[in-house]
Amino acid sequence: MSRLANKPILVPNGVEVKIEGSKVTVKGKRGELTREFFDYIIIELDNNSVWVKPPKINSTDENAIKENKSKYSAQLGLVWKLISNMIEGVNTGYKKVLQLEGTGYRSNIQGDIITLQLGFSSDVKMKVPAGLTVTIEKDTRIIIEGNDKEQVGELAMNIKKKRPVEPYKGKGVRFEGEYVKMKESKKAAK
């Protein structure tokens, strides 16, 4: 069985969790998130903790019970982590910071459209999904914030994919603090 599912998910003060069958709604100071999970996994709310359990099996056979637990182990861990991320998202939120490295690499935001100048012949334009906040500092630092960890990470990776860091000069889009192993340029023949 998943080791995560053996532990409860603690619900902090100011966060409200509502469970309706396989649908979980989490409300907090930063907003509300709702997600539908597998209908066969049992999600229970007990005081200030959420428990994720495997489906019940009507059998006294130990092998059948063990097989049932191992069959749903990965899904239990996934559901546990997704609920935990929802609770953390409405309580504190998520943030990713991207850095543009390279001569002439700049970014700008107008409304919900990010314009990136990444050395291409034309600018790259991307739409910011609802629920996310994007701010730009000094034209080269992009800060993405939101309640949904999946959405924040997806937008950050989509921006990064537009111009990945190349290993010779280090130009491109990188996460702040990301280490890029640099390669030595080719030597001229003597």
Side-chain angles (χ1 to χ4, degrees), residues 8 18 25 27 32 52 61 70 73 75 77 82-83 96 105 108 121 130 133 135 146 164:
K18 187 178 178 186
T25 304
K27 289 182 189 175
E32 178 180 328
V52 179
D61 182 19
S70 65
S73 180
Q75 294 168 346
L82 290 174
I83 293 172
K96 293 270 186 193
Y105 286 20
N108 188 9
S121 59
T133 307
T135 53

Side-chain angles (χ1 to χ4, degrees), residues 151-168:
Q151 265 191 328
V152 171
E154 186 176 4
L155 180 61
M157 283 308 297
N158 285 339
I159 292 172
K160 189 176 167 154
K161 278 188 212 173
K162 298 297 179 190
R163 179 66 91 172
V165 179
E166 57 92 18
Y168 293 102

Side-chain angles (χ1 to χ4, degrees), residues 68-189:
N68 185 46
K69 284 185 179 180
S70 65
K71 183 177 178 183
Y72 299 111
S73 180
Q75 294 168 346
L76 292 175
L78 172 68
V79 171
W80 191 95
K81 193 62 180 171
L82 290 174
I83 293 172
S84 176
N85 288 345
M86 289 169 65
I87 291 171
E88 187 178 337
V90 298
N91 194 28
T92 59
Y94 290 99
K95 176 180 174 181
K96 293 270 186 193
V97 181
L98 296 169
Q99 191 71 37
L100 303 179
E101 298 283 336
T103 307
Y105 286 20
R106 289 191 294 274
S107 58
N108 188 9
I109 187 160
Q110 290 182 329
D112 63 345
I113 303 291
I114 303 171
T115 305
L116 302 167
Q117 295 174 346
L118 300 173
F120 299 122
S121 59
S122 59
D123 296 345
V124 177
K125 296 186 186 239
M126 298 181 74
K127 187 168 176 33
V128 177
L132 295 182
T133 307
V134 176
T135 53
I136 295 176
E137 295 177 353
K138 300 181 185 176
D139 292 337
T140 58
R141 192 166 186 257
I142 303 168
I143 302 167
I144 304 166
E145 295 177 295
N147 297 344
D148 191 351
K149 186 176 186 178
E150 207 171 316
Q151 265 191 328
V152 171
E154 186 176 4
L155 180 61
M157 283 308 297
N158 285 339
I159 292 172
K160 189 176 167 154
K161 278 188 212 173
K162 298 297 179 190
R163 179 66 91 172
V165 179
E166 57 92 18
Y168 293 102
K169 293 182 181 177
K171 290 181 171 185
V173 182
R174 66 176 75 190
F175 289 112
E176 190 172 67
E178 177 184 1
Y179 174 74
V180 176
K181 187 173 181 180
M182 302 299 284
K183 292 182 180 179
E184 196 173 315
S185 60
K186 296 178 182 174
K187 304 287 184 199

Side-chain angles (χ1 to χ4, degrees), residues 9-11 15-19 24-25 42-53 83 87:
I9 305 167
L10 299 176
V11 180
V15 176
E16 181 186 326
V17 178
K18 187 178 178 186
I19 301 169
V24 177
T25 304
I42 300 166
I43 304 168
E44 295 175 346
L45 182 64
D46 181 33
N47 293 332
N48 282 343
S49 56
V50 177
W51 290 90
V52 179
K53 299 178 181 176
I83 293 172
I87 291 171

